[in-house]
mmCIF file of all heavy atoms in Angstrom:
data_model
loop_
_atom_site.group_PDB
_atom_site.id
_atom_site.type_symbol
_atom_site.label_atom_id
_atom_site.label_comp_id
_atom_site.label_asym_id
_atom_site.label_seq_id
_atom_site.Cartn_x
_atom_site.Cartn_y
_atom_site.Cartn_z
ATOM 1 N N LYS A 185 -115.715 134.491 202.409
ATOM 2 C CA LYS A 185 -116.346 135.102 201.224
ATOM 3 C C LYS A 185 -117.578 134.459 200.661
ATOM 4 O O LYS A 185 -118.457 135.152 200.136
ATOM 5 C CB LYS A 185 -115.276 135.116 200.081
ATOM 6 C CG LYS A 185 -114.247 136.208 200.224
ATOM 7 C CD LYS A 185 -113.554 136.438 198.831
ATOM 8 C CE LYS A 185 -112.886 135.178 198.277
ATOM 9 N NZ LYS A 185 -112.145 135.317 196.998
ATOM 10 N N GLU A 186 -117.710 133.227 200.874
ATOM 11 C CA GLU A 186 -118.876 132.454 200.388
ATOM 12 C C GLU A 186 -119.024 131.169 201.170
ATOM 13 O O GLU A 186 -118.081 130.816 201.897
ATOM 14 C CB GLU A 186 -118.663 132.156 198.918
ATOM 15 C CG GLU A 186 -117.426 131.370 198.579
ATOM 16 C CD GLU A 186 -117.267 131.153 197.075
ATOM 17 O OE1 GLU A 186 -117.834 131.958 196.340
ATOM 18 O OE2 GLU A 186 -116.516 130.310 196.744
ATOM 19 N N ALA A 187 -120.199 130.627 201.092
ATOM 20 C CA ALA A 187 -120.463 129.379 201.767
ATOM 21 C C ALA A 187 -121.434 128.551 200.938
ATOM 22 O O ALA A 187 -122.345 129.165 200.263
ATOM 23 C CB ALA A 187 -121.013 129.571 203.244
ATOM 24 N N SER A 188 -121.380 127.207 201.027
ATOM 25 C CA SER A 188 -122.265 126.339 200.185
ATOM 26 C C SER A 188 -123.529 126.114 200.903
ATOM 27 O O SER A 188 -124.492 125.543 200.260
ATOM 28 C CB SER A 188 -121.571 125.032 199.946
ATOM 29 O OG SER A 188 -121.137 124.411 201.042
ATOM 30 N N HIS A 189 -123.591 126.407 202.182
ATOM 31 C CA HIS A 189 -124.849 126.135 202.963
ATOM 32 C C HIS A 189 -125.801 127.396 202.897
ATOM 33 O O HIS A 189 -125.393 128.486 202.677
ATOM 34 C CB HIS A 189 -124.436 125.769 204.325
ATOM 35 C CG HIS A 189 -123.864 124.502 204.553
ATOM 36 N ND1 HIS A 189 -122.650 124.247 204.018
ATOM 37 C CD2 HIS A 189 -124.255 123.371 205.085
ATOM 38 C CE1 HIS A 189 -122.265 122.931 204.314
ATOM 39 N NE2 HIS A 189 -123.209 122.429 204.997
ATOM 40 N N ARG A 190 -126.968 127.070 203.315
ATOM 41 C CA ARG A 190 -127.986 128.142 203.513
ATOM 42 C C ARG A 190 -127.737 128.923 204.802
ATOM 43 O O ARG A 190 -127.161 128.331 205.732
ATOM 44 C CB ARG A 190 -129.443 127.544 203.623
ATOM 45 C CG ARG A 190 -129.884 126.917 202.243
ATOM 46 C CD ARG A 190 -131.264 126.444 202.400
ATOM 47 N NE ARG A 190 -131.756 125.726 201.216
ATOM 48 C CZ ARG A 190 -132.210 126.387 200.110
ATOM 49 N NH1 ARG A 190 -132.352 127.666 200.110
ATOM 50 N NH2 ARG A 190 -132.594 125.616 199.041
ATOM 51 N N CYS A 191 -128.145 130.200 204.800
ATOM 52 C CA CYS A 191 -127.954 130.981 205.946
ATOM 53 C C CYS A 191 -128.936 130.465 207.010
ATOM 54 O O CYS A 191 -130.060 130.143 206.807
ATOM 55 C CB CYS A 191 -128.350 132.444 205.607
ATOM 56 S SG CYS A 191 -128.328 133.515 207.032
ATOM 57 N N SER A 192 -128.432 130.345 208.301
ATOM 58 C CA SER A 192 -129.202 129.822 209.392
ATOM 59 C C SER A 192 -130.209 130.717 209.884
ATOM 60 O O SER A 192 -131.195 130.374 210.560
ATOM 61 C CB SER A 192 -128.238 129.520 210.628
ATOM 62 O OG SER A 192 -127.227 128.562 210.207
ATOM 63 N N SER A 193 -130.200 132.048 209.334
ATOM 64 C CA SER A 193 -131.198 132.992 209.745
ATOM 65 C C SER A 193 -132.314 133.137 208.643
ATOM 66 O O SER A 193 -133.446 132.874 208.941
ATOM 67 C CB SER A 193 -130.565 134.292 209.959
ATOM 68 O OG SER A 193 -131.541 135.327 210.298
ATOM 69 N N CYS A 194 -131.864 133.593 207.371
ATOM 70 C CA CYS A 194 -132.907 133.809 206.406
ATOM 71 C C CYS A 194 -133.216 132.564 205.549
ATOM 72 O O CYS A 194 -134.109 132.602 204.695
ATOM 73 C CB CYS A 194 -132.424 134.983 205.487
ATOM 74 S SG CYS A 194 -131.084 134.587 204.482
ATOM 75 N N ARG A 195 -132.420 131.570 205.614
ATOM 76 C CA ARG A 195 -132.530 130.311 204.908
ATOM 77 C C ARG A 195 -132.214 130.373 203.449
ATOM 78 O O ARG A 195 -132.506 129.458 202.637
ATOM 79 C CB ARG A 195 -133.979 129.716 205.062
ATOM 80 C CG ARG A 195 -134.333 129.475 206.530
ATOM 81 C CD ARG A 195 -133.374 128.665 207.294
ATOM 82 N NE ARG A 195 -133.246 127.279 206.660
ATOM 83 C CZ ARG A 195 -132.203 126.538 206.935
ATOM 84 N NH1 ARG A 195 -131.246 126.859 207.759
ATOM 85 N NH2 ARG A 195 -132.174 125.340 206.317
ATOM 86 N N GLU A 196 -131.721 131.509 203.018
ATOM 87 C CA GLU A 196 -131.293 131.728 201.597
ATOM 88 C C GLU A 196 -129.823 131.369 201.509
ATOM 89 O O GLU A 196 -129.091 131.386 202.463
ATOM 90 C CB GLU A 196 -131.483 133.102 201.174
ATOM 91 C CG GLU A 196 -132.983 133.563 201.070
ATOM 92 C CD GLU A 196 -133.177 134.943 200.626
ATOM 93 O OE1 GLU A 196 -132.166 135.579 200.183
ATOM 94 O OE2 GLU A 196 -134.375 135.367 200.538
ATOM 95 N N ARG A 197 -129.365 131.116 200.231
ATOM 96 C CA ARG A 197 -127.999 130.845 200.026
ATOM 97 C C ARG A 197 -127.244 132.219 199.826
ATOM 98 O O ARG A 197 -127.626 133.170 200.509
ATOM 99 C CB ARG A 197 -127.834 129.908 198.878
ATOM 100 C CG ARG A 197 -128.283 128.530 199.143
ATOM 101 C CD ARG A 197 -127.929 127.646 198.012
ATOM 102 N NE ARG A 197 -128.431 126.214 198.176
ATOM 103 C CZ ARG A 197 -127.836 125.316 198.957
ATOM 104 N NH1 ARG A 197 -126.703 125.506 199.471
ATOM 105 N NH2 ARG A 197 -128.369 124.084 199.091
ATOM 106 N N GLY A 198 -126.364 132.353 198.964
ATOM 107 C CA GLY A 198 -125.558 133.605 198.906
ATOM 108 C C GLY A 198 -126.074 134.605 197.897
ATOM 109 O O GLY A 198 -125.248 135.517 197.522
ATOM 110 N N ARG A 199 -127.233 134.345 197.309
ATOM 111 C CA ARG A 199 -127.766 135.290 196.221
ATOM 112 C C ARG A 199 -127.889 136.705 196.730
ATOM 113 O O ARG A 199 -128.738 136.997 197.607
ATOM 114 C CB ARG A 199 -129.022 134.724 195.775
ATOM 115 C CG ARG A 199 -129.512 135.444 194.501
ATOM 116 C CD ARG A 199 -130.909 134.845 194.037
ATOM 117 N NE ARG A 199 -130.727 133.376 193.795
ATOM 118 C CZ ARG A 199 -131.713 132.561 193.549
ATOM 119 N NH1 ARG A 199 -132.970 133.112 193.541
ATOM 120 N NH2 ARG A 199 -131.556 131.240 193.445
ATOM 121 N N GLY A 200 -127.020 137.566 196.231
ATOM 122 C CA GLY A 200 -127.075 139.049 196.610
ATOM 123 C C GLY A 200 -126.501 139.372 198.008
ATOM 124 O O GLY A 200 -126.405 140.495 198.276
ATOM 125 N N ARG A 201 -126.063 138.373 198.650
ATOM 126 C CA ARG A 201 -125.507 138.627 200.000
ATOM 127 C C ARG A 201 -124.215 137.632 200.002
ATOM 128 O O ARG A 201 -124.310 136.526 200.434
ATOM 129 C CB ARG A 201 -126.453 138.273 201.088
ATOM 130 C CG ARG A 201 -127.697 139.059 201.088
ATOM 131 C CD ARG A 201 -128.673 138.588 202.187
ATOM 132 N NE ARG A 201 -129.781 139.337 202.304
ATOM 133 C CZ ARG A 201 -130.697 139.220 203.251
ATOM 134 N NH1 ARG A 201 -130.612 138.257 204.137
ATOM 135 N NH2 ARG A 201 -131.744 140.031 203.321
ATOM 136 N N THR A 202 -123.139 138.241 199.625
ATOM 137 C CA THR A 202 -122.085 137.270 199.321
ATOM 138 C C THR A 202 -121.269 136.705 200.504
ATOM 139 O O THR A 202 -120.951 135.593 200.597
ATOM 140 C CB THR A 202 -120.947 138.000 198.465
ATOM 141 O OG1 THR A 202 -120.623 139.223 199.074
ATOM 142 C CG2 THR A 202 -121.604 138.309 197.137
ATOM 143 N N TRP A 203 -120.894 137.543 201.558
ATOM 144 C CA TRP A 203 -120.063 137.165 202.654
ATOM 145 C C TRP A 203 -120.840 136.527 203.674
ATOM 146 O O TRP A 203 -121.959 136.792 204.042
ATOM 147 C CB TRP A 203 -119.163 138.245 203.196
ATOM 148 C CG TRP A 203 -118.102 138.799 202.294
ATOM 149 C CD1 TRP A 203 -118.002 138.472 200.980
ATOM 150 C CD2 TRP A 203 -117.154 139.658 202.594
ATOM 151 N NE1 TRP A 203 -116.876 139.138 200.476
ATOM 152 C CE2 TRP A 203 -116.343 139.929 201.403
ATOM 153 C CE3 TRP A 203 -116.804 140.406 203.681
ATOM 154 C CZ2 TRP A 203 -115.286 140.783 201.322
ATOM 155 C CZ3 TRP A 203 -115.694 141.376 203.705
ATOM 156 C CH2 TRP A 203 -114.901 141.443 202.499
ATOM 157 N N PHE A 204 -120.207 135.534 204.414
ATOM 158 C CA PHE A 204 -120.847 134.724 205.480
ATOM 159 C C PHE A 204 -119.970 134.716 206.701
ATOM 160 O O PHE A 204 -118.747 134.819 206.609
ATOM 161 C CB PHE A 204 -120.997 133.251 205.086
ATOM 162 C CG PHE A 204 -122.325 132.885 204.371
ATOM 163 C CD1 PHE A 204 -122.490 133.172 202.964
ATOM 164 C CD2 PHE A 204 -123.331 132.319 204.981
ATOM 165 C CE1 PHE A 204 -123.538 132.835 202.316
ATOM 166 C CE2 PHE A 204 -124.466 131.949 204.331
ATOM 167 C CZ PHE A 204 -124.549 132.168 202.997
ATOM 168 N N TYR A 205 -120.610 134.546 207.847
ATOM 169 C CA TYR A 205 -119.895 134.116 209.005
ATOM 170 C C TYR A 205 -120.192 132.619 209.256
ATOM 171 O O TYR A 205 -121.418 132.326 209.253
ATOM 172 C CB TYR A 205 -120.295 134.932 210.293
ATOM 173 C CG TYR A 205 -119.514 136.149 210.491
ATOM 174 C CD1 TYR A 205 -120.002 137.392 210.183
ATOM 175 C CD2 TYR A 205 -118.194 136.145 210.945
ATOM 176 C CE1 TYR A 205 -119.291 138.642 210.374
ATOM 177 C CE2 TYR A 205 -117.460 137.310 211.134
ATOM 178 C CZ TYR A 205 -117.979 138.509 210.892
ATOM 179 O OH TYR A 205 -117.300 139.624 210.971
ATOM 180 N N ARG A 206 -119.205 131.827 209.331
ATOM 181 C CA ARG A 206 -119.438 130.352 209.522
ATOM 182 C C ARG A 206 -118.834 129.968 210.812
ATOM 183 O O ARG A 206 -117.691 130.350 211.140
ATOM 184 C CB ARG A 206 -118.783 129.594 208.307
ATOM 185 C CG ARG A 206 -119.088 128.126 208.368
ATOM 186 C CD ARG A 206 -118.246 127.407 207.372
ATOM 187 N NE ARG A 206 -116.857 127.300 207.791
ATOM 188 C CZ ARG A 206 -115.884 126.616 207.070
ATOM 189 N NH1 ARG A 206 -116.259 126.127 205.861
ATOM 190 N NH2 ARG A 206 -114.695 126.546 207.538
ATOM 191 N N SER A 207 -119.525 129.120 211.580
ATOM 192 C CA SER A 207 -118.973 128.639 212.855
ATOM 193 C C SER A 207 -117.818 127.691 212.547
ATOM 194 O O SER A 207 -117.914 126.946 211.537
ATOM 195 C CB SER A 207 -120.038 127.980 213.682
ATOM 196 O OG SER A 207 -120.612 126.846 213.059
ATOM 197 N N THR A 208 -116.897 127.506 213.401
ATOM 198 C CA THR A 208 -115.746 126.586 213.171
ATOM 199 C C THR A 208 -116.149 125.149 213.097
ATOM 200 O O THR A 208 -115.433 124.375 212.507
ATOM 201 C CB THR A 208 -114.651 126.858 214.212
ATOM 202 O OG1 THR A 208 -115.244 126.813 215.514
ATOM 203 C CG2 THR A 208 -114.018 128.214 213.993
ATOM 204 N N CYS A 209 -117.335 124.927 213.756
ATOM 205 C CA CYS A 209 -117.814 123.536 213.764
ATOM 206 C C CYS A 209 -118.737 123.271 212.560
ATOM 207 O O CYS A 209 -119.137 122.142 212.376
ATOM 208 C CB CYS A 209 -118.653 123.239 214.998
ATOM 209 S SG CYS A 209 -120.024 124.302 215.312
ATOM 210 N N LYS A 210 -118.863 124.309 211.645
ATOM 211 C CA LYS A 210 -119.643 124.154 210.371
ATOM 212 C C LYS A 210 -121.067 123.816 210.595
ATOM 213 O O LYS A 210 -121.600 123.003 209.887
ATOM 214 C CB LYS A 210 -118.955 123.228 209.478
ATOM 215 C CG LYS A 210 -117.492 123.628 209.122
ATOM 216 C CD LYS A 210 -116.861 122.587 208.189
ATOM 217 C CE LYS A 210 -115.449 123.037 207.773
ATOM 218 N NZ LYS A 210 -114.795 122.111 206.836
ATOM 219 N N THR A 211 -121.695 124.388 211.650
ATOM 220 C CA THR A 211 -123.129 124.174 211.984
ATOM 221 C C THR A 211 -123.952 125.460 211.699
ATOM 222 O O THR A 211 -125.149 125.370 211.505
ATOM 223 C CB THR A 211 -123.376 123.518 213.269
ATOM 224 O OG1 THR A 211 -122.776 124.445 214.292
ATOM 225 C CG2 THR A 211 -122.709 122.182 213.403
ATOM 226 N N VAL A 212 -123.368 126.594 211.943
ATOM 227 C CA VAL A 212 -124.114 127.846 211.911
ATOM 228 C C VAL A 212 -123.502 128.698 210.742
ATOM 229 O O VAL A 212 -122.293 128.925 210.748
ATOM 230 C CB VAL A 212 -123.972 128.609 213.217
ATOM 231 C CG1 VAL A 212 -124.722 129.978 213.168
ATOM 232 C CG2 VAL A 212 -124.570 127.808 214.351
ATOM 233 N N TYR A 213 -124.328 129.199 209.877
ATOM 234 C CA TYR A 213 -123.969 129.948 208.790
ATOM 235 C C TYR A 213 -124.859 131.368 208.871
ATOM 236 O O TYR A 213 -126.118 131.162 208.915
ATOM 237 C CB TYR A 213 -124.126 129.356 207.465
ATOM 238 C CG TYR A 213 -123.285 128.078 207.301
ATOM 239 C CD1 TYR A 213 -123.580 126.876 207.831
ATOM 240 C CD2 TYR A 213 -122.056 128.167 206.503
ATOM 241 C CE1 TYR A 213 -122.738 125.764 207.753
ATOM 242 C CE2 TYR A 213 -121.309 126.976 206.373
ATOM 243 C CZ TYR A 213 -121.619 125.874 206.973
ATOM 244 O OH TYR A 213 -120.857 124.799 206.783
ATOM 245 N N LEU A 214 -124.154 132.444 208.784
ATOM 246 C CA LEU A 214 -124.970 133.734 208.801
ATOM 247 C C LEU A 214 -124.444 134.609 207.767
ATOM 248 O O LEU A 214 -123.201 134.942 207.805
ATOM 249 C CB LEU A 214 -124.852 134.355 210.213
ATOM 250 C CG LEU A 214 -125.592 133.599 211.309
ATOM 251 C CD1 LEU A 214 -125.179 134.256 212.670
ATOM 252 C CD2 LEU A 214 -127.086 133.598 211.194
#
Side-chain angles (χ1 to χ4, degrees):
K185 281 197 301 182
E186 56 188 22
S188 58
H189 289 66
R190 293 183 184 275
C191 174
S192 301
S193 178
C194 71
R195 304 306 301 164
E196 294 181 5
R197 292 189 183 273
R199 190 178 304 171
R201 300 176 173 184
T202 53
W203 290 8
F204 272 80
Y205 273 104
R206 186 189 74 179
S207 63
T208 51
C209 59
K210 299 182 181 180
T211 57
V212 179
Y213 296 80
L214 293 170

